[in-house]
Amino acid sequence: MAFLKQAFAGPFQVPGALILYAAALILSSWLHYGVEHVLETEIWGAMPPAVENTLRLARDLAIVLLAALVMPIAFGMIGRDLARPLWKVGVPGEALRRFFSLWFLMNLLLITVSRVTGKLMEAESPAAGLTLGILIILYASYIIVGAGIMYHGRFGTEDLSKALAPFIREGGQTGLLILVALFTVLVALFTDIDVEDLSWLYHAPVAGVLSAVLECVIFSGAWIICMTSQETPDNDLDF
């Protein structure tokens, strides 16, 4: 339990990173539910399906872009504090340059699988259960995987095995972290916010702050696992 205590303490040692991350999640939530509110209530009138799809696509890309801009910076701040003075990647400029594409691709994959799952569930397709399972696995693992890649220092397919090796080596701690991640997934998947009225304006920030804390804790825990694993003699991490 000392590991989890350290993981939960990590983000609060860098309040600026936590505030930045929470602000980004709140803005993303407002953007998501705001678009849904406009479309569901038809306050601008009924729109053709093509216009609705284009609006949702633009919304989703904006959310992915915002995440890709904020996650390298906020996570880099937390990681730099935890691994001081070993992790020497500069924040925010160098962290953004190195890891923007990492978080852009990961969030694009997440939101794509999420939208496909939603469509399949609406259609009551038998494939919906499979894609929902894939979505849960992705949500539970993507921050852990991203933390490993950031700690390794490079984003490339040839580096992936080295970046993920610490989580295999420290299997007990990884298992505990996955439980926290699964709880975070449940919070995200089963938080039902009504878009028919304007209650999403104050419900979304509450959910956003909770998710921000939990996701930063997951990153912090994954980072600590990488730090612990670095003490293993056969480790070959490159900073």
Side-chain angles (χ1 to χ4, degrees):
M1 289 302 174
F3 161 68
L4 287 180
K5 183 178 180 180
Q6 189 179 2
F8 272 87
F12 294 98
Q13 295 172 3
V14 193
L18 189 55
I19 291 170
L20 174 64
Y21 197 83
L25 282 186
I26 292 170
L27 181 59
S28 295
S29 296
W30 277 338
L31 181 57
H32 172 79
Y33 292 112
V35 169
E36 292 303 316
H37 176 75
V38 168
L39 296 178
E40 292 293 332
T41 59
E42 297 185 353
I43 57 176
W44 292 347
M47 298 182 185
V51 175
E52 289 190 5
N53 291 335
T54 300
L55 188 58
R56 285 192 171 103
L57 177 61
R59 182 266 319 272
D60 289 348
L61 287 175
I63 290 173
V64 169
L65 180 60
L66 179 60
L69 289 170
V70 170
M71 292 175 88
I73 297 173
F75 288 162
M77 292 168 67
I78 295 171
R80 190 177 177 89
D81 180 76
L82 287 170
R84 185 184 294 121
L86 294 177
W87 200 69
K88 299 180 177 67
V89 174
V91 180
E94 189 179 359
L96 190 59
R97 178 183 61 81
R98 286 198 189 192
F99 304 116
F100 171 86
S101 58
L102 165 68
W103 293 110
F104 183 87
L105 291 173
M106 282 193 166
N107 281 280
L108 183 62
L109 175 62
L110 274 174
I111 207 163
T112 300
V113 176
S114 177
R115 298 297 174 256
V116 170
T117 300
K119 292 292 185 182
L120 292 174
M121 292 180 72
E122 287 178 7
E124 298 183 351
S125 169
L130 175 62
T131 57
L132 179 60
I134 294 172
L135 181 63
I136 291 173
I137 292 170
L138 287 173
Y139 265 119
S141 62
Y142 87 111
I143 291 179
I144 297 173
V145 172
I149 293 172
M150 285 185 68
Y151 191 85
H152 180 65
R154 291 192 303 265
F155 175 42
T157 53
E158 67 279 2
D159 300 307
L160 190 58
S161 61
K162 290 182 179 180
L164 299 184
F167 305 113
I168 298 173
R169 218 177 266 129
E170 307 295 333
Q173 292 181 344
T174 302
L176 288 174
L177 194 60
I178 288 174
L179 290 177
V180 177
L182 287 173
F183 175 75
T184 306
V185 171
L186 292 176
V187 170
L189 289 178
F190 297 104
T191 300
D192 185 22
I193 298 179
D194 188 8
V195 298
E196 294 295 329
D197 54 35
L198 294 178
S199 62
W200 54 270
L201 283 171
Y202 54 85
H203 284 154
V206 174
V209 169
L210 177 59
S211 294
V213 171
L214 290 172
E215 290 178 17
C216 286
V217 165
I218 292 167
F219 177 86
S220 175
W223 201 261
I224 292 167
I225 289 172
C226 292
M227 291 167 59
T228 302
S229 179
Q230 189 186 1
E231 299 173 0
T232 305
D234 64 346
N235 206 337
D236 186 27
L237 295 178
D238 184 358
F239 295 93

